[in-house]
Amino acid sequence: MKIYNTLTRTKQDFVPIKEGKVGIYVCGPTVYDYIHIGNARPMIVFDTLRRYLLYKGYDVNYVSNFTDVDDKIIKRALEEGVPSKEISERFIKEVKKDMKDLNVMEATTHPKATEEIPDMIDMIKVLIDKGHAYEVNGTVYFRTRSFKDYGKLSKKNIDELEAGHRDEKHALKVSGEDEKEDFLDFVLWKPKKEGEPSWPSPWGDGRPGWHLECSVMSKKYIGDIIDIHAGGEDLIFPHHENEIAQSEAANDVEFARYWMHNGFLRIDGEKMSKSLGNFFTIREIGEKYPLQVIRFFILSAHYRSPLNFSDTLVESAKASLERILTAVSKLEDMLADADDRSLNAEEEKISAGLKDFENKFDEAMEDDLNTADAIAAIFELVKYTNSNISSESPKKLVEEGLGMIRKLCDILGIITEIKKEKLDSEIEALIEERQAARKAKNFARADEIRDLLAAEGIILEDTREGVKWKRA
Ligand code: AMP
Ligand code: ZN
């Protein structure tokens, strides 16, 4: 597989460190509110990468953190007058629910920053011992200039960075807040403020800096070197640049081999973000559309392209997805009545032709996870089954066509199992049959029908006016 590596700015063949195994770390959300569809983009995209690698037979260790200590969480906790932990626990639960509804698999490990503090303290100690960090009045800073490769991911030149902030630097000096050795240094540990969560450390009570979390949690749950590190493109600088500096300075080995960054979800040409206020939460969207439509919409574009969000575009994704699901449903119906006979020569050819679409799909996914072209291959497959498989086709061929659509959709995390609701008339017929069974003292059948209806969420109630029913 070829992956576009932000580190080299080229598409490279993906070669894992250990054959057959892949360690992926994806920076997860800060849990202070419901997630919006922009936040869902990296979740869906990298979950799809994981599913594809699983389908290719890799053993995937997928780690994605929850940032559960942060200024925004503390701010909300103060506003609501509750402990910070209550806010983070509440939103971890809500994010997990959204992920499930988007069919995003649970990570192998979902570490929480607050549960990894001792390891963070250990890494800071190592960095201080090696001269890469220093403490001033309870704050520990990373000595950015001590890491010679700083800027290698974002392609920023350290002197230009410094020059770009000359005015800010001056202002800090004037106000006396300039306790860092160098303006470029960033925080590894910050001292406790009144009312904030804190942990004891050799530098006094305090809490870790955001960048440090990911360096420590990826090391603990994957190792010093990770195969793929991923997140949204806004994380390239400073977050990922700082993660590299911390990890490589502490561990003396390359931190991540491949860096993947998704483009932004936009609204009217502007990025969707909480601070701009132009966002829709997954919860809001879920009231309008099945969330599988959102998953399909996100995957209909290449992950590195910006993607515009609008009702028209989501409606069009919905219609496209329905075309696939309709084909699945038709094939399922055919299957019920299909002949068990063997394939004739013509049908053998049709059967062999199915493989072409899987090859096309794979080719697209192998090319830097091109889900847009992979979806195009599924559409071609649907067209092919629509025109080559019919109610006259033998069971084996129908099964193969259906199986191929299902298999490819499954790799993208698109669910094709269609839950068909029983029609009112079918329910009423079953109720009548149950009444007849009871009259004939065939209680076993009567109970069986009751259970069958219960499994469909139909509740029966025996009243003086007869049997009434409702959907649960
Ligand atoms: P945050 O909670 O802001 O740190 O974001 C969590 C993840 O969502 C990060 O990987 C961000 O890069 C990503 N993200 C945030 N906004 C967007 C957006 N509008 N489009 C795509 N990704 C986004
Ligand atoms: Zn991170």
Side-chain angles (χ1 to χ4, degrees), residues 27 214 239 243:
C27 295
C214 294
H239 185 55
E243 281 186 36

Side-chain angles (χ1 to χ4, degrees), residues 68-70 74 84-85 112-118 120-121 189-192 196-208:
D68 64 345
V69 56
D70 174 85
I74 295 168
S84 181
K85 196 170 172 63
K112 295 177 198 161
T114 57
E115 291 173 4
E116 309 292 344
I117 307 284
M120 296 193 206
I121 291 174
W189 186 264
K190 58 179 96 176
K192 172 187 176 164
E196 289 189 356
S198 66
W199 292 263
S201 85
W203 318 284
D205 287 359
R207 61 185 163 105

Side-chain angles (χ1 to χ4, degrees), residues 25-28 65 210-211 214 229 235 239-240 243:
Y25 187 90
V26 183
C27 295
N65 64 305
W210 169 43
H211 313 301
C214 294
H229 196 315
L235 300 184
H239 185 55
H240 288 162
E243 281 186 36

Side-chain angles (χ1 to χ4, degrees), residues 32 37 58 78 134 196 200 202 205 236 262 276 292 312 326 331 452 470:
Y32 68 103
I37 5 174
Y58 287 103
L78 288 174
Y134 58 95
E196 289 189 356
D205 287 359
I236 298 173
N262 65 272
L276 292 171
Q292 127 126 320
T312 324
T326 306
L331 289 166
L452 202 123
K470 61 176 185 208

Side-chain angles (χ1 to χ4, degrees), residues 222-464:
I222 300 177
D224 284 1
I225 315 177
I226 52 188
D227 289 296
I228 301 172
H229 196 315
E233 65 184 7
D234 58 324
L235 300 184
I236 298 173
F237 187 84
H239 185 55
H240 288 162
E241 196 70 64
N242 291 356
E243 281 186 36
I244 293 178
Q246 296 162 158
S247 294
E248 298 193 358
N251 305 329
D252 291 318
V253 283
E254 187 185 19
F255 176 42
R257 307 276 298 274
Y258 301 84
W259 287 87
M260 293 177 81
H261 292 99
N262 65 272
F264 259 58
L265 194 80
R266 295 158 169 256
I267 263 192
D268 303 324
E270 263 192 300
K271 74 172 194 180
M272 179 182 286
S273 79
K274 290 239 167 71
S275 52
L276 292 171
N278 60 350
F279 65 92
F280 292 102
T281 62
I282 289 294
R283 246 4 113 74
E284 286 168 320
I285 295 287
E287 283 173 16
K288 263 176 105 176
Y289 300 100
L291 286 179
Q292 127 126 320
V293 169
I294 297 302
R295 182 170 182 119
F296 190 80
F297 164 71
I298 299 259
L299 294 179
S300 63
H302 189 272
Y303 75 92
R304 283 193 286 121
S305 316
L307 172 61
N308 243 322
F309 177 83
S310 73
D311 267 337
T312 324
L313 291 171
V314 177
E315 283 295 342
S316 134
K318 185 172 175 229
S320 302
L321 178 59
E322 272 166 16
R323 244 168 62 211
I324 300 174
L325 298 181
T326 306
V328 167
S329 173
K330 263 173 51 193
L331 289 166
E332 271 182 342
D333 289 346
M334 284 175 202
L335 200 59
D337 306 315
D339 260 1
D340 228 348
R341 65 178 169 83
S342 51
L343 274 59
N344 62 31
E346 176 72 11
E347 289 158 353
E348 287 288 2
K349 252 199 242 153
I350 296 170
S351 158
L354 287 168
K355 185 79 186 146
D356 294 348
F357 302 97
E358 184 178 16
N359 293 342
K360 265 196 179 161
F361 178 95
D362 278 13
E363 225 173 85
M365 295 294 273
E366 289 287 309
D367 183 16
D368 190 30
L369 202 75
N370 192 336
T371 53
D373 285 0
I375 287 177
I378 298 180
F379 278 126
E380 283 181 41
L381 167 64
V382 162
K383 219 164 128 194
Y384 182 82
T385 58
N386 281 347
S387 39
N388 291 294
I389 303 180
S390 70
S391 50
E392 308 298 310
S393 306
K395 192 169 169 192
K396 182 168 178 282
L397 184 61
V398 182
E399 267 171 359
E400 284 176 356
L402 181 61
M404 187 59 83
I405 300 179
R406 285 231 152 104
K407 179 179 175 183
L408 303 187
C409 284
D410 197 43
I411 298 167
L412 300 179
I414 301 295
I415 300 166
T416 51
E417 303 293 336
I418 305 153
K419 255 205 182 153
K420 284 190 185 146
E421 279 211 336
K422 280 215 168 357
L423 300 171
D424 289 6
S425 58
E426 289 176 289
I427 295 167
E428 275 146 25
L430 277 166
I431 293 175
E432 255 174 53
E433 193 193 332
R434 177 168 168 263
Q435 294 301 88
R438 283 169 120 190
K439 241 189 200 156
K441 300 219 178 324
N442 183 354
F443 297 113
R445 177 62 186 154
D447 287 349
E448 194 180 73
I449 294 173
R450 176 183 279 266
D451 293 347
L452 202 123
L453 289 169
E456 299 260 342
I458 313 289
I459 299 161
L460 301 183
E461 208 184 323
D462 290 309
T463 70
R464 245 179 264 162

